[in-house]
Amino acid sequence: MNPQLRRTVGLTCAFIAAVLLCAAASSRWDRVPAKDHARTNPLAAHPESISAGALIYKEHCEQCHKSDATGDGHKKPSLRTDRIKSATDGDLEWFLRQGDLAHGMPSWSSLPQAQRWQLVTFLRSIQ
Ligand code: HEC
Protein backbone atom coordinates (compact mmCIF):
# COMPACT_ATOMS: atom_id res chain seq x y z
CA MET A 1 0.00 0.00 0.00
CA ASN A 2 1.46 3.38 -0.85
CA PRO A 3 2.00 5.74 2.11
CA GLN A 4 -0.64 8.21 0.97
CA LEU A 5 -3.29 5.48 0.75
CA ARG A 6 -2.16 3.94 4.04
CA ARG A 7 -2.58 7.33 5.73
CA THR A 8 -6.06 7.80 4.28
CA VAL A 9 -7.13 4.32 5.35
CA GLY A 10 -5.65 4.89 8.83
CA LEU A 11 -7.49 8.18 9.28
CA THR A 12 -10.74 6.71 7.99
CA CYS A 13 -10.47 3.83 10.47
CA ALA A 14 -9.74 6.18 13.35
CA PHE A 15 -12.78 8.24 12.40
CA ILE A 16 -15.09 5.21 12.20
CA ALA A 17 -13.80 3.94 15.55
CA ALA A 18 -14.48 7.35 17.14
CA VAL A 19 -18.02 7.45 15.76
CA LEU A 20 -18.73 3.93 17.04
CA LEU A 21 -17.33 4.78 20.47
CA CYS A 22 -19.45 7.91 20.73
CA ALA A 23 -22.57 6.02 19.68
CA ALA A 24 -21.91 3.41 22.36
CA ALA A 25 -21.28 6.03 25.05
CA SER A 26 -24.29 8.24 24.35
CA SER A 27 -27.59 7.03 25.68
CA ARG A 28 -31.11 7.48 24.36
CA TRP A 29 -31.76 9.88 27.22
CA ASP A 30 -28.98 12.30 26.22
CA ARG A 31 -31.27 13.99 23.73
CA VAL A 32 -34.15 14.64 26.12
CA PRO A 33 -34.63 18.42 26.57
CA ALA A 34 -33.48 19.55 30.04
CA LYS A 35 -36.92 20.70 31.17
CA ASP A 36 -38.48 17.34 30.26
CA HIS A 37 -35.59 15.41 31.80
CA ALA A 38 -36.11 17.21 35.12
CA ARG A 39 -39.89 16.75 35.26
CA THR A 40 -41.13 14.67 38.19
CA ASN A 41 -44.01 12.22 38.03
CA PRO A 42 -47.04 13.72 39.82
CA LEU A 43 -48.56 10.21 40.00
CA ALA A 44 -45.46 8.42 41.27
CA ALA A 45 -45.90 5.53 43.65
CA HIS A 46 -49.70 5.74 43.97
CA PRO A 47 -50.87 2.13 44.04
CA GLU A 48 -53.89 3.17 41.92
CA SER A 49 -51.62 4.59 39.23
CA ILE A 50 -49.65 1.35 39.10
CA SER A 51 -52.84 -0.61 38.42
CA ALA A 52 -54.17 2.03 36.03
CA GLY A 53 -50.82 1.98 34.21
CA ALA A 54 -50.92 -1.81 34.03
CA LEU A 55 -54.32 -1.65 32.29
CA ILE A 56 -53.10 0.92 29.77
CA TYR A 57 -50.00 -1.21 29.22
CA LYS A 58 -52.19 -4.23 28.48
CA GLU A 59 -54.26 -2.26 26.01
CA HIS A 60 -51.51 -0.43 24.13
CA CYS A 61 -48.04 -1.82 24.84
CA GLU A 62 -48.23 -5.54 25.53
CA GLN A 63 -48.71 -6.45 21.86
CA CYS A 64 -45.13 -5.38 21.19
CA HIS A 65 -43.28 -5.39 24.51
CA LYS A 66 -45.03 -8.59 25.75
CA SER A 67 -47.05 -9.12 28.88
CA ASP A 68 -43.98 -9.43 31.10
CA ALA A 69 -42.37 -6.41 29.37
CA THR A 70 -39.30 -8.37 28.34
CA GLY A 71 -39.82 -7.62 24.64
CA ASP A 72 -39.54 -10.01 21.74
CA GLY A 73 -35.78 -10.52 22.05
CA HIS A 74 -35.36 -8.87 18.67
CA LYS A 75 -36.58 -5.43 17.51
CA LYS A 76 -38.99 -4.76 20.36
CA PRO A 77 -36.91 -4.07 23.42
CA SER A 78 -37.35 -5.25 26.96
CA LEU A 79 -38.60 -2.55 29.32
CA ARG A 80 -36.83 -4.12 32.29
CA THR A 81 -33.32 -2.97 31.62
CA ASP A 82 -30.63 -0.73 33.07
CA ARG A 83 -31.48 1.78 30.36
CA ILE A 84 -35.01 2.14 31.72
CA LYS A 85 -33.76 2.17 35.30
CA SER A 86 -31.28 4.94 34.52
CA ALA A 87 -33.94 7.12 32.87
CA THR A 88 -35.70 9.79 34.90
CA ASP A 89 -39.51 9.73 35.02
CA GLY A 90 -39.36 12.84 32.83
CA ASP A 91 -37.18 11.03 30.25
CA LEU A 92 -39.71 8.21 30.01
CA GLU A 93 -42.74 10.48 29.71
CA TRP A 94 -40.92 12.49 27.02
CA PHE A 95 -40.08 9.34 25.08
CA LEU A 96 -43.67 8.08 25.25
CA ARG A 97 -44.81 11.43 23.82
CA GLN A 98 -42.22 11.37 21.01
CA GLY A 99 -42.12 7.71 20.16
CA ASP A 100 -39.58 6.63 17.59
CA LEU A 101 -41.63 5.79 14.54
CA ALA A 102 -38.58 5.23 12.35
CA HIS A 103 -37.75 2.28 14.62
CA GLY A 104 -41.29 1.05 15.19
CA MET A 105 -42.26 2.74 18.45
CA PRO A 106 -45.50 4.75 18.07
CA SER A 107 -46.00 8.13 19.70
CA TRP A 108 -48.42 8.17 22.64
CA SER A 109 -48.95 11.92 22.56
CA SER A 110 -52.66 11.38 21.92
CA LEU A 111 -53.12 9.75 25.34
CA PRO A 112 -54.03 12.12 28.18
CA GLN A 113 -50.86 13.22 30.00
CA ALA A 114 -52.05 11.52 33.22
CA GLN A 115 -52.11 8.17 31.42
CA ARG A 116 -48.48 8.59 30.33
CA TRP A 117 -47.52 9.25 33.95
CA GLN A 118 -49.48 6.16 35.01
CA LEU A 119 -47.52 4.17 32.42
CA VAL A 120 -44.27 5.56 33.83
CA THR A 121 -45.37 4.60 37.35
CA PHE A 122 -46.20 1.11 36.11
CA LEU A 123 -42.82 0.77 34.32
CA ARG A 124 -41.05 1.79 37.54
CA SER A 125 -43.01 -0.77 39.52
CA ILE A 126 -41.83 -3.70 37.38
CA GLN A 127 -38.10 -2.95 37.47
C1 HEC B 1 -46.01 -1.42 17.50
C2 HEC B 1 -45.08 -1.89 18.51
C3 HEC B 1 -44.94 -1.08 19.78
C4 HEC B 1 -45.94 -0.67 20.65
C5 HEC B 1 -47.42 -0.87 20.52
C6 HEC B 1 -45.25 -0.01 21.75
N1 HEC B 1 -43.90 -0.01 21.55
FE1 HEC B 1 -42.47 0.76 22.77
N2 HEC B 1 -41.05 0.34 21.45
C7 HEC B 1 -41.24 -0.36 20.26
C8 HEC B 1 -39.99 -0.45 19.55
C9 HEC B 1 -39.77 -1.14 18.22
C10 HEC B 1 -39.04 0.23 20.35
C11 HEC B 1 -37.58 0.47 20.04
C12 HEC B 1 -37.50 1.79 19.31
C13 HEC B 1 -36.11 2.31 19.16
O1 HEC B 1 -35.14 1.55 19.19
O2 HEC B 1 -35.98 3.53 19.08
C14 HEC B 1 -39.74 0.70 21.53
C15 HEC B 1 -39.13 1.38 22.57
C16 HEC B 1 -39.76 1.70 23.76
C17 HEC B 1 -39.10 2.30 24.90
C18 HEC B 1 -37.62 2.66 24.99
C19 HEC B 1 -36.85 1.43 25.39
C20 HEC B 1 -35.38 1.67 25.53
O3 HEC B 1 -34.71 0.80 26.07
O4 HEC B 1 -34.87 2.68 25.10
C21 HEC B 1 -40.05 2.45 25.88
C22 HEC B 1 -39.86 3.03 27.26
C23 HEC B 1 -41.28 1.96 25.33
N3 HEC B 1 -41.09 1.52 24.05
C24 HEC B 1 -42.46 1.92 26.01
C25 HEC B 1 -43.70 1.61 25.44
C26 HEC B 1 -44.96 1.77 26.10
C27 HEC B 1 -45.15 2.22 27.55
C28 HEC B 1 -45.93 1.42 25.20
C29 HEC B 1 -47.42 1.50 25.35
C30 HEC B 1 -47.98 2.81 25.59
C31 HEC B 1 -45.24 1.01 23.97
N4 HEC B 1 -43.89 1.14 24.15
C32 HEC B 1 -45.89 0.54 22.85
C33 HEC B 1 -42.42 -0.88 19.81
C34 HEC B 1 -43.67 -0.67 20.36
Side-chain angles (χ1 to χ4, degrees), residues 28-29 31 56-57 60-65 75-79 81 83-84 92 95-96 100 103-106 108 111 119 123:
R28 181 188 287 301
W29 315 122
R31 55 198 173 84
I56 305 164
Y57 183 89
H60 293 303
C61 321
E62 180 177 282
Q63 67 197 85
C64 287
H65 293 285
K75 292 240 162 90
K76 314 224 169 85
S78 169
L79 302 178
T81 61
R83 185 153 66 175
I84 300 295
L92 291 171
F95 185 71
L96 292 181
D100 185 353
H103 296 103
M105 166 68 178
W108 301 97
L111 290 180
L119 280 166
L123 289 178

Side-chain angles (χ1 to χ4, degrees), residues 7-61:
R7 213 174 93 87
T8 309
V9 169
L11 280 174
T12 307
C13 289
F15 176 74
I16 292 172
V19 167
L20 289 177
L21 256 177
C22 290
S26 82
S27 117
R28 181 188 287 301
W29 315 122
D30 290 346
R31 55 198 173 84
V32 180
K35 73 170 181 12
D36 293 298
H37 170 78
R39 213 166 258 154
T40 53
N41 182 353
L43 302 177
H46 289 197
E48 321 86 82
S49 40
I50 297 177
S51 47
L55 280 178
I56 305 164
Y57 183 89
K58 222 174 170 30
E59 189 177 340
H60 293 303
C61 321

Side-chain angles (χ1 to χ4, degrees), residues 103-116:
H103 296 103
M105 166 68 178
S107 154
W108 301 97
S109 61
S110 59
L111 290 180
Q113 166 113 348
Q115 295 198 4
R116 282 191 302 276

